[in-house]
Amino acid sequence: MLDTVPRSSPDQGPVVADHRSGALLSPWFRFAVLVVVLGTAATVVVLYEPQRLLADGWPAQLGGGPAVALFAVAYGLCATAFVPRPLLNLAAGALFGSVFGLAAALGGTVLAAGASFALGRCLGQQALRPLLRGRWLKAADGQLSGHGFRSMLAIRLFPGVPFAAANYCAAVSRMRAAPFLLATAVGSVPNTAAYVIAGSRAGSPTSPAFLVATGFIVVTAVAAGVLAWRKRHRLPGRRP
């Protein structure tokens, strides 16, 4: 006769563990972790304003290469936590001058972009890709997936898209990490340099360097708006 009495199995424990581990590793669980991490970071920025520490609370006895490297790390953490990069760039210029300030700001920019890309790719991509159904979302995904370096370079050169939004859009797309980081490093130079120079010359707002830097910032902002307005006519599916 067949034995119909339920019996405990030595494999029962591992099966339960496998189900639990599968739930913990599911795309939506990882996405929930991403939301919690980003929400916590944004809350810390609002409550404590860590960007002030980079300019007002920077240790005076720290200088040279170690100071630039430490600032770049602090910049990367703050930018990952949604501190506006223009404020960080101005602080870099005020603390280190044009040359070393630019090095610190660019290092922090690439670090923040890499951290955001890694978070979005590991915790959000699998959950969010099935939701890319809108015309605008599909167009953005197609550009980043098929023309990653060129598209990201344009985004960084004409900063109409917020820094964090561009990072996470690239992470959700199929864009590879190396072109993303290279385009970020190259494309961020002009705008970052303008803010750093403005920060280094903030004490003399009528100086030619300050006026040129602020003029460049205004021109690139306007150019980004014009470019975005023209690009909207080329989106697939738009009716004539």
Side-chain angles (χ1 to χ4, degrees), residues 91-144:
L95 288 171
F96 301 108
S98 300
V99 177
F100 291 107
L102 178 59
L106 282 179
T109 296
V110 175
L111 178 62
S116 301
F117 185 89
L119 285 172
R121 180 60 55 90
C122 295
L123 299 178
Q125 187 189 45
Q126 291 186 0
L128 295 180
R129 279 206 65 82
L131 302 180
L132 299 177
R133 298 172 183 173
R135 176 165 51 88
W136 285 69
L137 293 176
K138 285 184 177 181
D141 178 63
Q143 283 293 321
L144 291 172

Side-chain angles (χ1 to χ4, degrees), residues 135-218:
R135 176 165 51 88
W136 285 69
L137 293 176
K138 285 184 177 181
D141 178 63
Q143 283 293 321
L144 291 172
S145 298
H147 309 283
F149 178 82
R150 184 178 67 186
S151 299
M152 186 54 58
L153 184 64
I155 289 173
R156 301 307 192 194
L157 286 173
F158 301 100
V161 179
F163 180 73
N167 295 338
Y168 289 107
C169 286
V172 173
S173 73
R174 294 188 175 91
M175 184 178 184
R176 293 183 293 113
F180 168 76
L181 294 176
L182 181 59
T184 296
V186 175
S188 298
V189 170
N191 196 262
T192 302
Y195 277 100
V196 169
I197 293 173
S200 67
R201 302 300 178 92
S204 53
T206 58
S207 64
F210 182 86
L211 294 176
V212 170
T214 53
F216 180 84
I217 293 170
V218 172

